[in-house]
Amino acid sequence: MDFIGGEDIAMHDGDIVASTEPHSTTFQSIADISPASGHGDAFFDTQSGSGEKQSALALNGEGLKRETSLFDHTLTKGDAPRPAKFKSLPYSTAQTGLVYDVRMRFHVEPEQNEADIHPEDPRRIHAIFESFADAGLAWRQDSREPSNGFYMGRIDTRLVTKEEVCLVHTQDHWDWVQSLIKYPDGYLKHTGDRMDSIYLSRQTPYCAALSAGGAIEACRAVLLGKVKNVFAVIRPPGHHAEREEAKGFCFYDNVSIATKACQREFGEQCRKVLILDWDVHHGNGIQQANYDDPNVLYISLHVHLKGTFYPEKSYRDERGPYGDHIHCGNGAGLGRNVNIPWTKKGMGDADYIYAFQQVVMPIAHEFKPDLVIIAAGFDAAEGDMLGGCKVTPAGYAHMTHMLMSLAGGRVAVCLEGGYNLDSIARSATAVARTLMGEPPERLVNSSPTISGVNDIKLVLRQQSRFWSSLYPKDMSARLAGPLHGVRMHEIVRRWQAETLWDDYEMMPLSVLNKPLSEPFKNQVLATPNYTQARPLLVILHDPPEVIASPDPVTGKIELHNTWLTYVDWAAKQGFAVIDVNLPKHVADVNDGQQHEPNDATEFRIKEAALLLTYLFDNYVELSESTHVFLMGTNTGHGAIINFIKNNEERAEERITGAISFVEDVPLQSCKSATNDMLAAWYYNNSLVFVANDHNFWHSDLSKKPKKRFGKAERSDVDSMTDILIENKKAVQDFLLKSTADWTNPPPEDSDAMDTANVETTKARLPPVGNFAPSPRPQARTATHSPSIAPANSAFGKSLNNSAPKTPPRGTFAPPKSSKSPFR
């Protein structure tokens, strides 16, 4: 079946109706219907909300009217829904409903160009209907096979009324949509081009009214018991349409209008509605319409890319990220808005099923809806050019199957996005087969991605405050109370600092820079020989990974041991080391211990680059280091690149090598607008180890790597810990080869030292004020200023054998009775 053919694009009424409609009524083009022709009120009833006025374009039957009997319709015998065959099996022997009207295809671009067809192609709904018919799920007039009891029962659509639209949108929005019929195509094209991802035509008001009316009639058919469930193949889509704005191909918020209309008509029978939106884009319109409604649970799974994926950054009011996990509802509706935002593209079946198992189904069962509406966009399907995800027809079928366990099986599927005609046809058919009772096909992949798991855990931590069925519970409320808890990264760093002091006498370096002093307090440690003539390794790393087994109820974890392999190896080789920890969240002085998301990667890289510059200016440049190596993980990688590009000449002169480990941050390029040789220098003096599943390897850049990305090597593993372990030998060989011209001097014997020569052999000291005086007066010598610790006592061996080893005060208080400054 070819959905891509161009002969269908003109959409002459007679050609389309004959192939899809079970009658031969001749249709009048909506372009010829206008208020001036005397038919305006027939289409757009601006006064009555009863819906009794019918258009001159005869509908396929009279549809489901409020005043008609349950099965009083004029649909042909092969099309009409029938009551359940057996009373003992009412659900399994009832039909699945189908809403489809070819006239919704009249909404087209004013100037059509087959070489550049708009993604919201009118053929989308035709492709789905034809796929249903070819699969034997739906009956069409020209079918040679006799009618059977397995077809989907057709439900008539109708025009939505002004009163129904204004349950969600403003009257000004209604009036604006209706006014489009008055303008010529040239004006509409110009206006549409200036708006947000929509096109306009004189047929738009009619098609949008049919689409919203079809969503209402689909839900009504299920609630009236006419069908067990229903699939509404409607367009234009609706979930981006806001209270007073059309955007993202959408004019009316179809599913929200249907929700409000059914709640008003059916009362307690339809009091609680679950809207599950699996379109790849966030349904900002649905969220806005139901944000404070405690009886509407909105759950959206969408690509978010940390606030950079549409519709984010497209709002006229310039609001911040609207589809993140933090937006949970407002007022009485708090907890009734659940966003599951994917931070990466490429999510597949396993990620979506994991989200359903961990978040969607537990919340949905606890909510106990009376009706389930699926905002079914199929742009997360394999092959869609806008979504970039990999959900298969089987994946959609499994999600549908799980949702059918809710609300007594009362499920209404309303089409939203999806722009690859083949993908939406296959995916929609898989959903329809599941609605009709066929079990879903087997899933090929059942292992979610690391990124997907992290995203789900973030949502769980946020939503566990509102739903008793979600675990683990967030501990922030308890920590803010009488427990007065401390963030784990602070505890880990303090333990790390104490261990490094015990093993290598590493001491804290002061950061006397106002913007940096508080964020990086206690985060910079150095071996005592960092000023001496020896190789210096500066490591900028994210907080270490913690291997933990959380208690499923309390969220408590057991902290397991971790290690610093590279520091240990470098110290044993005689290298000096400066270890810099880059916290993912900087605790405020007045931190209330509430859960805080990690700071944005761009902000952390910028902050880390400023710190590296400070350390270079105040410590590295003042040392007598023979070689300087910069090593960074994730954020540290970005900081190193930024530093090199901002200090080109100094970097080329002073830095021996740059080593990076990249897991889940963008791979940075070292390219200069003023120095053509910088990229080549970086390539010759770098090692860059990149995770196996990093997006870089799926881009065109990886096919012909550029020197500006350094010597990028693809690891066989994905996590940072595994990358560090896998490439340890390569890094060690690189460091040894680069320092082959340096000989590690034997350690000095303090007993044999000539104290008279101290002044001639001491290392260069950092600026006055970076260190406080030593807390042990007896460790000083008379030849030094009392404001500066002497080189051999502060940074090396004590001149007085009886004086205990102790670091300068720096940013930590001096020890009271123990040798360690951290206890």
Side-chain angles (χ1 to χ4, degrees):
M1 180 171 58
D2 182 13
F3 298 134
I4 314 300
E7 71 280 1
D8 199 21
I9 192 71
M11 297 200 309
H12 300 294
D13 299 353
D15 296 339
I16 300 171
V17 171
S19 66
T20 59
E21 294 295 305
H23 55 77
S24 58
T25 302
T26 301
F27 286 87
Q28 181 181 8
S29 173
I30 185 63
D32 298 329
I33 305 299
S34 67
S37 67
H39 296 289
D41 287 341
F43 289 101
F44 309 116
D45 178 12
T46 60
Q47 301 297 327
S48 172
S50 64
E52 294 178 357
K53 289 188 179 183
Q54 298 298 309
S55 70
L57 302 184
L59 290 173
N60 175 19
E62 297 179 0
L64 291 175
K65 306 298 186 298
R66 293 173 175 80
E67 66 275 10
T68 56
S69 61
L70 194 58
F71 297 104
D72 181 16
H73 50 75
T74 59
L75 292 169
T76 58
K77 184 176 180 181
D79 239 352
R82 294 175 296 279
K85 186 174 182 180
F86 300 115
K87 292 183 179 181
S88 58
L89 297 171
Y91 188 83
S92 59
T93 60
Q95 284 182 290
T96 291
L98 171 63
V99 173
Y100 172 72
D101 194 307
V102 69
R103 291 167 295 174
M104 282 183 272
R105 298 177 65 197
F106 295 161
H107 168 58
V108 296
E109 292 182 271
E111 298 180 10
Q112 299 168 14
N113 182 357
E114 293 187 23
D116 184 23
I117 299 175
H118 194 280
E120 211 289 279
D121 189 339
R123 293 174 296 174
R124 295 168 60 243
I125 59 173
H126 179 71
I128 293 174
F129 177 81
E130 289 294 316
S131 181
F132 286 176
D134 290 346
L137 310 183
W139 182 82
R140 58 188 170 197
Q141 183 68 37
D142 61 350
S143 176
R144 297 181 180 179
E145 298 180 1
S147 174
N148 61 55
F150 299 103
Y151 286 133
M152 304 169 79
R154 292 286 292 276
I155 306 297
D156 288 330
T157 187
R158 63 170 173 83
L159 297 170
V160 71
T161 68
K162 172 184 175 181
E163 182 182 6
E164 290 167 334
V165 170
C166 288
L167 292 172
V168 173
H169 300 281
T170 64
Q171 181 171 331
D172 287 343
H173 184 71
W174 162 267
D175 292 340
W176 175 79
V177 174
Q178 304 313 311
S179 71
L180 298 179
I181 197 172
K182 303 175 184 178
Y183 298 103
D185 288 345
Y187 173 84
L188 293 174
K189 183 181 187 308
H190 175 71
T191 303
D193 289 344
R194 296 169 55 194
M195 300 183 69
D196 182 10
S197 305
I198 62 173
Y199 58 80
L200 306 174
S201 70
R202 297 178 65 198
Q203 293 84 6
T204 297
Y206 185 66
C207 295
L210 283 176
S211 184
I216 295 174
E217 290 307 309
C219 295
R220 294 187 69 247
V222 174
L223 293 168
L224 288 169
K226 189 175 184 68
V227 292
K228 62 183 178 183
N229 48 45
V230 65
F231 199 129
V233 185
I234 55 178
R235 71 170 290 269
H239 74 151
H240 291 312
E242 295 196 347
R243 189 170 292 112
E244 203 167 13
E245 182 178 8
K247 62 182 298 175
F249 315 153
C250 305
F251 296 89
Y252 294 142
D253 184 356
N254 299 326
V255 298
S256 293
I257 292 172
T259 297
K260 305 298 185 186
C262 290
Q263 285 179 322
R264 183 181 64 171
E265 178 182 356
F266 292 94
E268 285 299 311
Q269 185 184 347
C270 184
R271 182 171 65 89
K272 299 167 69 176
V273 179
L274 164 62
I275 301 175
L276 188 286
D277 187 349
W278 65 42
D279 190 284
V280 79
H281 302 95
H282 177 239
N284 54 289
I286 303 177
Q287 176 169 304
Q288 184 190 69
N290 304 283
Y291 201 60
D292 57 359
D293 190 340
N295 291 317
V296 178
L297 171 61
Y298 175 57
I299 305 179
S300 176
L301 301 95
H302 53 270
V303 172
H304 193 245
L305 301 184
K306 297 183 179 179
T308 62
F309 195 72
Y310 190 87
E312 301 290 13
K313 297 185 177 180
S314 70
Y315 305 111
R316 288 186 299 180
D317 58 7
E318 298 182 353
R319 76 188 72 150
Y322 197 54
D324 58 22
H325 69 287
I326 302 296
H327 282 77
C328 302
N330 185 48
L334 186 62
R336 296 299 193 264
N337 194 86
V338 183
N339 286 323
I340 303 176
W342 303 123
T343 56
K344 291 184 179 180
K345 283 189 175 182
M347 313 310 285
D349 290 344
D351 298 297
Y352 277 77
I353 297 303
Y354 183 71
F356 263 65
Q357 293 170 337
Q358 295 291 313
V359 179
V360 176
M361 296 311 296
I363 291 178
H365 280 293
E366 187 174 343
F367 180 67
K368 298 182 178 66
D370 302 309
L371 174 67
V372 176
I373 303 178
I374 303 176
F378 294 106
D379 39 6
E382 282 184 313
D384 190 275
M385 56 283 215
L386 296 184
C389 289
K390 304 174 183 178
V391 182
T392 68
Y396 284 115
H398 276 272
M399 290 188 286
T400 304
H401 190 259
M402 284 188 274
L403 292 171
M404 289 169 63
S405 66
L406 303 166
R410 291 185 289 275
V411 176
V413 181
C414 296
L415 181 66
E416 289 287 350
Y419 308 103
N420 179 299
L421 300 184
D422 182 61
S423 295
I424 62 173
R426 292 188 297 108
S427 300
T429 301
V431 170
R433 288 170 59 87
T434 304
L435 291 174
M436 297 176 74
E438 287 294 302
E441 294 183 359
R442 180 180 298 178
L443 294 173
V444 176
N445 180 23
S446 60
S447 300
T449 62
I450 294 176
S451 174
V453 172
N454 290 336
D455 295 338
I456 296 304
K457 295 302 182 183
L458 194 65
V459 175
L460 278 172
R461 183 163 53 234
Q462 183 72 12
Q463 291 293 335
S464 64
R465 306 176 184 182
F466 313 113
W467 302 96
S468 61
S469 57
L470 297 186
Y471 295 94
K473 298 300 182 184
D474 187 18
M475 295 290 291
S476 59
R478 297 183 62 194
L479 293 177
L483 293 180
H484 300 293
V486 179
R487 294 188 183 279
M488 183 59 72
H489 71 81
E490 297 176 18
I491 297 175
V492 171
R493 185 55 175 176
R494 181 168 287 273
W495 168 86
Q496 200 176 56
E498 186 170 333
T499 300
L500 293 173
W501 163 254
D502 289 341
D503 293 344
Y504 315 110
E505 298 185 20
M506 293 183 72
M507 64 194 74
L509 297 185
S510 295
V511 180
L512 302 179
N513 180 286
K514 190 172 183 180
L516 300 173
S517 58
E518 186 61 32
F520 292 101
K521 181 180 180 181
N522 306 337
Q523 305 300 320
V524 183
L525 306 175
T527 54
N529 57 359
Y530 77 92
T531 62
Q532 298 177 4
R534 60 183 64 243
L536 173 63
L537 176 62
V538 182
I539 305 176
L540 299 98
H541 61 84
D542 295 310
E545 294 180 352
V546 177
I547 304 173
S549 178
D551 184 282
V553 177
T554 65
K556 296 178 181 178
I557 64 173
E558 295 180 7
L559 189 64
H560 292 258
N561 195 14
T562 185
W563 61 95
L564 299 170
T565 306
Y566 288 86
V567 174
D568 180 73
W569 179 87
K572 290 178 180 178
Q573 297 299 318
F575 288 18
V577 178
I578 296 179
D579 179 84
V580 183
N581 185 61
L582 304 174
K584 291 190 175 182
H585 168 72
V586 177
D588 194 347
V589 176
N590 300 317
D591 195 347
Q593 301 301 342
Q594 296 297 313
H595 169 71
E596 296 286 349
N598 295 336
D599 290 326
T601 301
E602 295 79 5
F603 173 78
R604 295 180 58 221
I605 289 176
K606 181 179 179 181
E607 191 177 52
L610 291 175
L611 175 66
L612 179 56
T613 302
Y614 177 88
L615 296 177
F616 219 88
D617 292 342
N618 291 274
Y619 295 105
V620 178
E621 287 279 51
L622 297 178
S623 74
E624 297 182 353
S625 303
T626 58
H627 307 77
V628 176
F629 297 94
L630 302 182
M631 179 186 293
T633 67
N634 274 345
T635 308
H637 162 67
I640 292 172
I641 297 299
N642 285 356
F643 174 79
I644 292 174
K645 291 194 294 186
N646 293 331
N647 301 270
E648 297 174 5
E649 294 183 5
R650 186 161 57 149
E652 292 184 25
E653 177 184 352
R654 199 76 172 89
I655 297 176
T656 309
I659 307 167
S660 294
F661 302 88
V662 182
E663 177 189 5
D664 54 6
V665 300
L667 186 63
Q668 305 276 347
S669 66
C670 191
K671 184 178 181 181
S672 171
T674 59
N675 184 356
D676 294 337
M677 301 303 295
L678 184 65
W681 172 86
Y682 177 64
Y683 179 82
N684 293 327
N685 296 277
S686 67
L687 284 180
V688 184
F689 303 100
V690 187
N692 183 59
D693 66 346
H694 195 279
N695 287 337
F696 176 77
W697 304 118
H698 304 291
S699 66
D700 294 336
L701 291 172
S702 65
K703 298 176 182 177
K704 293 183 178 180
K706 307 295 183 181
K707 288 187 176 181
R708 65 178 185 267
F709 292 105
K711 292 180 181 176
E713 297 185 14
R714 186 170 188 171
S715 297
D716 294 329
V717 292
D718 296 323
S719 73
M720 181 56 67
T721 296
D722 292 336
I723 298 173
L724 289 169
I725 294 173
E726 179 188 61
N727 299 288
K728 180 178 66 173
K729 182 65 166 55
V731 172
Q732 293 173 354
D733 290 345
F734 174 78
L735 294 175
L736 291 176
K737 182 178 180 181
S738 301
T739 57
D741 58 336
W742 173 75
T743 303
N744 185 10
E748 298 176 349
D749 184 355
S750 59
D751 292 333
M753 287 183 61
D754 182 3
T755 57
N757 295 324
V758 169
E759 289 295 335
T760 60
T761 59
K762 70 176 182 178
R764 292 166 60 188
L765 295 177
V768 176
N770 275 342
F771 289 90
S774 171
R776 300 286 184 179
Q778 62 270 31
R780 303 193 186 112
T781 63
T783 60
H784 290 83
S785 169
S787 62
I788 304 177
N792 284 347
S793 61
F795 306 113
K797 296 288 184 178
S798 172
L799 296 180
N800 188 339
N801 291 332
S802 62
K805 292 185 297 183
T806 179
R809 290 184 180 180
T811 55
F812 285 91
K816 294 182 179 179
S817 59
S818 171
K819 146 177 144 173
S820 169
F822 308 105
R823 289 175 181 160

